[in-house]
Amino acid sequence: MKVLGKYCFWMLLLLLHSIANAAEHEEVAKHAIKLHRGKGVAITQRKQWVLDSCRKLSGLLRQKTVVLNKLKNAIRAVEKDASLSDEEKLFQVHTFEIFQKELNESENSVFQAICGLQRALQGDYKDVVNMKESSRQRLEALREAAIKEETEYVELLAAEKHQVEALKNMQHQNKSLSMLDEILEDVRKAADRLEEEIEEHAFDDNKSVKGVNFEAVLRVEEEEANSKQNLTKREVEDDLGLSMLIDSQNNQYILTKPRDATIPRADHHFIKDIVTIGMLSLPCGWLCTTIGLPTMFGYIICGVLLGPSGLNSIKSIVQVETLGEFGVFFTLFLVGLEFSPEKLRKVWKISLQGPCYMTLLMIAFGLLWGHLLQIRPTQSVFISTCLSLSSTPLVSRFLVGSARGEKEAGDLDYSAVLLGMLVMQDVQLGLFIAVMPTLIQAGASTYSSIVMEILQILVLIGQILFSLAAVFLLCLVIKTYLIGPYYRKLHMESKGNKEILILGISAFIFLMLTVTELLDVSMELGCFLAGALISSQGHMVTEEIVSYIEPIRDFLAIIFFASIGLHVFPTFVVYELTILLVLTLSVVIMKFVLAALVLSLLLPKTSQYIKWIVAAGLAQVSEFSFVLGSRARRAGIISREVYLLILSVTTLSLLLAPVLWRAAITKCVPRPDRRSSL
């Protein structure tokens, strides 16, 4: 059989010559037989097999040419036939054209197989790179063939639709329609026009765009669709819009925009995920409250139990994380409500200088350890910057709703200092995300181009500083001229209807978020500034807005902390518990010491005692290291192992944060001023 397969491929390879000159078939066959003399069956049998195969294939190609000519004549005859309606002509011509394409594609497939055979024969079976390239080319050919077949199937569906319309028109011509039938017919035509107007030919429009790749995917049908036994095959296919697609890299996709926008759809996987998180968060949060831990750790445990390392029941992970981001937005807005512009003016120097000094010191220590451990400078800078960031949502949960004590004249409020430094770190996060592409290029650059990379980074820093200046100038204008009249008008219109007030405040949050995003500053800063601007309207306004927004924030914060738990892998932590504990304690102690050192230089003497509290609040790693780590891993800055270490150290530091915070509060704050947010 192997010998027979080889002869078949050689016959296809020599097909081009047989088409050009049919008289040379016998000589071509003799040449093929001579190349394989001494193998397989007798020479006469091999000769006869090649001759017969070539003649059959040549006959098929001649038949194909004859059929194509007949199809062209048939199309011209249909177009000239006056007895046919436009729908009937369109249907018949469409059917003929599809058959023409089928014949041409079948012939092209033969020649593509010949080219593939030629590449395989010319390659080296010991060369893995060459074999991989051949496999890639075959895969591309299969993908293109699949796309063409899919296009042909869609055209057949369109032809079927035209046929149905033609039959309906014939029936309508043969009988008189009632008034109801005429109305329904008009509605049908209007519906067809509506579908044609709103339908986006996204597939046809994008398949030729540069950078678009054809991929083979699996379509997993929903259980509901499988259980509907009484539906026809076409109805089941139409109902599969929300089924899941899985590519060869195990990425899973769901529908974002249906072809038929007139039918409302819902992502049942996402609904089930949110319902499951909401139900399981209650006992987990209750348990943490009982044993004296913050409820947010119960929500993280909920994410661990439902995530990939647990029951793996969450299907829409990206959607859950996206919804959780709104929890961060509203949390920072409420933080801004308690962080008035007056407090900002008192601590702006410390808030600006402190995080910058800490980040520079962390990078310096990272480069030192990287040099000792022979780690690339690019990787050392990235890891140090990730670890220098602290969690704003976590510390906000410690501070929001806490009691305010009386302070002596000249004393600084540690919550104001801490929040100011955290907001500045969020600005640094936006800066670092903007600089990351240049950092990626620097990792692969030679020494001669390092100067240019440094210049690019300096230009980016200048752009960020300009954007910050523009943001604060805009905030000054809004505070002076706009926020007062806007809130008074909003409050007046919302009497007896709190929905208007909630919507107006949310719209203002999203406006500031959008402005800071457009200016390449972090969205979190925009949410914080929105709260700070509204807090300038007075204590009564702040209390009213907090009472409305806080329940929304609480629910979305549950989703956010549960989404963090989706990226916690207990098995990995257990396997590497010793080294992870050492790394986590080293990072927490280093951040605590550096923060206390920097604050001792920046704080006035009368407020030196708060440096321990602020340092305790900064001595953990931000959850945004998950985002930075994933981007760096995709870009090749860090390896998979380093990425998992960053995730684990971040998780353990967040778990240690409440313990360190409670110890600092107990030791450093007088009893009347202690905060009860834990």
Side-chain angles (χ1 to χ4, degrees):
M1 291 300 295
K2 293 183 178 179
V3 175
L4 187 60
K6 290 183 179 179
Y7 290 150
C8 182
F9 281 125
W10 272 107
M11 181 273 295
L12 293 175
L13 183 62
L14 298 172
L15 177 61
L16 293 175
H17 298 286
S18 65
I19 295 174
N21 190 355
E24 296 181 357
H25 282 172
E26 187 172 356
E27 287 76 12
V28 170
K30 290 180 180 179
H31 180 64
I33 292 170
K34 183 179 180 180
L35 291 175
H36 293 274
R37 181 161 295 173
K39 299 180 181 180
V41 295
I43 296 177
T44 55
Q45 293 178 350
R46 295 201 302 267
K47 174 182 177 181
Q48 189 61 39
W49 179 82
V50 173
L51 287 173
D52 293 341
S53 298
C54 290
R55 290 192 184 101
K56 288 179 181 178
L57 197 52
S58 298
L60 288 175
L61 292 175
R62 285 195 297 270
Q63 278 187 317
K64 175 246 180 185
T65 304
V66 173
V67 171
L68 285 179
N69 292 330
K70 289 183 178 180
L71 286 173
K72 292 178 181 178
N73 295 330
I75 290 174
R76 285 194 291 267
V78 168
E79 291 175 346
K80 295 178 181 179
D81 192 350
S83 63
L84 297 176
S85 63
D86 293 338
E87 289 80 5
E88 291 174 326
K89 288 182 179 180
L90 183 61
F91 168 71
Q92 293 187 17
V93 170
H94 199 175
T95 305
F96 292 152
E97 290 176 347
I98 292 175
F99 190 41
Q100 284 180 330
K101 290 182 180 179
E102 175 69 19
L103 294 174
N104 291 326
E105 291 299 331
S106 299
E107 182 182 7
N108 291 335
S109 299
V110 174
F111 295 132
Q112 288 176 358
I114 293 173
C115 295
L117 173 62
Q118 185 178 12
R119 287 195 301 269
L121 291 173
Q122 293 175 349
D124 183 4
Y125 71 92
K126 295 182 180 180
D127 187 358
V128 178
V129 176
N130 180 73
M131 293 175 63
K132 186 183 74 172
E133 180 63 21
S134 299
S135 177
R136 187 192 64 80
Q137 293 178 355
R138 290 194 299 272
L139 186 59
E140 290 294 332
L142 287 174
R143 287 170 177 170
E144 293 180 4
I147 293 298
K148 292 176 181 178
E149 195 67 29
E150 186 75 21
T151 304
E152 183 176 333
Y153 178 74
V154 172
E155 291 178 351
L156 287 172
L157 291 179
E160 182 183 14
K161 181 179 179 180
H162 293 151
Q163 185 183 29
V164 173
E165 292 179 353
L167 292 175
K168 285 183 178 180
N169 290 331
M170 292 178 62
Q171 293 175 358
H172 293 162
Q173 292 175 359
N174 296 331
K175 67 176 183 179
S176 58
L177 297 177
S178 63
M179 183 179 297
L180 179 60
D181 292 333
E182 291 180 354
I183 294 174
L184 292 177
E185 180 63 19
D186 292 338
V187 172
R188 183 186 67 82
K189 293 180 179 179
D192 291 340
R193 288 195 298 269
L194 175 63
E195 287 185 356
E196 293 177 358
E197 291 174 357
I198 65 176
E199 183 177 5
E200 295 183 7
H201 300 280
F203 186 84
D204 294 331
D205 294 341
N206 291 288
K207 66 182 181 181
S208 59
V209 175
K210 183 179 180 181
V212 173
N213 297 319
F214 296 125
E215 295 287 343
V217 297
L218 300 177
R219 185 171 188 169
V220 181
E221 300 178 1
E222 290 182 326
E223 295 179 0
E224 292 81 355
N226 292 332
S227 62
K228 297 177 181 178
Q229 301 295 336
N230 56 339
L231 296 180
T232 64
K233 182 178 179 181
R234 177 66 182 277
E235 289 173 334
V236 172
E237 289 178 353
D238 291 339
D239 194 50
L240 291 180
L242 293 175
S243 53
M244 186 178 297
L245 301 180
I246 306 175
D247 65 6
S248 59
Q249 303 298 321
N250 294 322
N251 297 309
Q252 300 178 12
Y253 305 88
I254 60 171
L255 181 69
T256 58
K257 186 175 183 180
R259 178 184 62 85
D260 188 358
T262 61
I263 301 177
R265 298 176 184 267
D267 186 354
H268 299 291
H269 294 302
F270 183 52
I271 294 175
K272 291 178 182 178
D273 292 341
I274 298 300
V275 170
T276 306
I277 290 174
M279 292 190 299
L280 189 58
S281 295
L282 175 60
C284 293
W286 204 341
L287 177 63
C288 289
T289 302
T290 304
I291 62 179
L293 287 176
T295 56
M296 67 170 207
F297 287 108
Y299 309 146
I300 294 176
I301 294 173
C302 171
V304 174
L305 294 176
L306 297 176
S309 59
L311 300 175
N312 197 23
S313 62
I314 302 297
K315 303 299 182 183
S316 304
I317 292 180
V318 175
Q319 287 70 32
V320 171
E321 292 175 345
T322 303
L323 182 61
E325 284 299 309
F326 286 89
V328 178
F329 297 155
F330 281 97
T331 296
L332 290 175
F333 170 72
L334 291 180
V335 170
L337 283 177
E338 298 193 5
F339 195 75
S340 63
E342 289 73 19
K343 293 182 180 179
L344 184 62
R345 282 195 294 269
K346 292 180 181 179
V347 300
W348 74 271
K349 289 184 178 180
I350 301 174
S351 302
L352 182 64
Q353 298 176 19
C356 294
Y357 293 155
M358 285 187 61
T359 302
L360 292 176
L361 289 174
M362 286 290 291
I363 292 176
F365 276 101
L367 289 173
L368 176 61
W369 281 103
H371 177 72
L372 296 176
L373 299 176
Q374 295 183 349
I375 301 175
R376 288 179 301 158
T378 303
Q379 196 173 35
S380 300
V381 170
F382 175 82
I383 296 174
S384 303
T385 307
C386 272
L387 298 180
S388 68
L389 301 175
S390 301
S391 175
T392 304
L394 175 65
V395 178
S396 301
R397 297 287 290 181
F398 292 161
L399 297 177
V400 170
S402 57
R404 296 288 185 263
E406 297 295 330
K407 298 174 180 59
E408 298 179 1
D411 282 1
L412 292 177
D413 183 3
Y414 63 81
S415 63
V417 176
L418 184 54
L419 290 175
M421 295 182 69
L422 289 171
V423 169
M424 188 59 199
Q425 285 190 350
D426 289 335
V427 175
Q428 290 179 347
L429 175 65
L431 173 63
F432 190 61
I433 291 176
V435 173
M436 185 177 288
T438 304
L439 191 64
I440 295 171
Q441 296 176 6
S445 300
T446 59
Y447 181 79
S448 59
S449 61
I450 289 180
V451 176
M452 293 301 299
E453 301 297 340
I454 294 176
L455 290 177
Q456 292 181 13
I457 293 176
L458 292 177
V459 170
L460 285 173
I461 293 175
Q463 292 176 354
I464 295 295
L465 293 177
F466 175 79
S467 298
L468 286 175
V471 168
F472 287 116
L473 180 62
L474 177 63
C475 289
L476 181 62
V477 173
I478 292 176
K479 179 181 179 296
T480 306
Y481 300 104
L482 300 178
I483 190 64
Y486 174 75
Y487 181 78
R488 287 192 294 270
K489 179 68 174 176
L490 193 64
H491 191 271
M492 182 176 62
E493 295 292 337
S494 64
K495 288 183 178 180
N497 186 6
K498 65 179 182 180
E499 296 175 2
I500 298 298
L501 181 60
I502 294 175
L503 182 61
I505 296 301
S506 301
F508 182 66
I509 297 172
F510 298 149
L511 173 63
M512 294 299 297
L513 179 153
T514 304
V515 169
T516 53
E517 174 68 11
L518 291 176
L519 292 174
D520 292 328
V521 187
S522 67
M523 294 186 290
E524 290 77 13
L525 177 62
C527 300
F528 177 84
L529 292 176
L533 289 172
I534 293 180
S535 69
S536 64
Q537 299 305 301
H539 180 71
M540 296 296 295
V541 172
T542 301
E543 292 296 329
E544 182 183 20
I545 293 176
V546 167
S547 64
Y548 290 152
I549 300 297
E550 199 167 24
I552 302 174
R553 187 279 314 272
D554 290 339
F555 174 75
L556 294 174
I558 292 173
I559 306 299
F560 170 73
F561 287 112
S563 67
I564 291 179
L566 298 177
H567 300 282
V568 177
F569 305 99
T571 54
F572 179 79
V573 176
V574 172
Y575 292 153
E576 303 293 339
L577 183 59
T578 303
I579 187 173
L580 289 176
L581 286 177
V582 172
L583 289 175
T584 303
L585 291 175
S586 301
V587 170
V588 170
I589 293 173
M590 180 180 295
K591 293 192 68 173
F592 182 84
V593 172
L594 290 180
L597 177 63
V598 170
L599 290 171
S600 64
L601 299 176
L602 298 177
L603 289 172
K605 293 182 179 181
T606 56
S607 302
Q608 282 290 320
Y609 71 96
I610 70 172
K611 66 183 179 182
W612 307 113
I613 307 174
V614 177
L618 297 175
Q620 27 73 23
V621 183
S622 173
E623 67 283 347
F624 287 107
S625 62
F626 297 156
V627 179
L628 294 175
S630 62
R631 293 188 181 185
R633 182 184 172 186
R634 287 196 299 266
I637 297 179
I638 60 176
S639 63
R640 179 191 60 178
E641 292 76 14
V642 174
Y643 172 69
L644 290 176
L645 288 175
I646 291 176
L647 292 188
S648 302
V649 169
T650 300
T651 303
L652 292 177
S653 69
L654 292 175
L655 292 173
L656 289 175
V659 179
L660 186 60
W661 175 262
R662 182 172 295 176
I665 290 292
T666 303
K667 185 176 180 60
C668 301
V669 178
R671 185 171 296 275
D673 282 349
R674 287 184 186 172
R675 303 184 179 273
S676 58
S677 60
L678 290 179

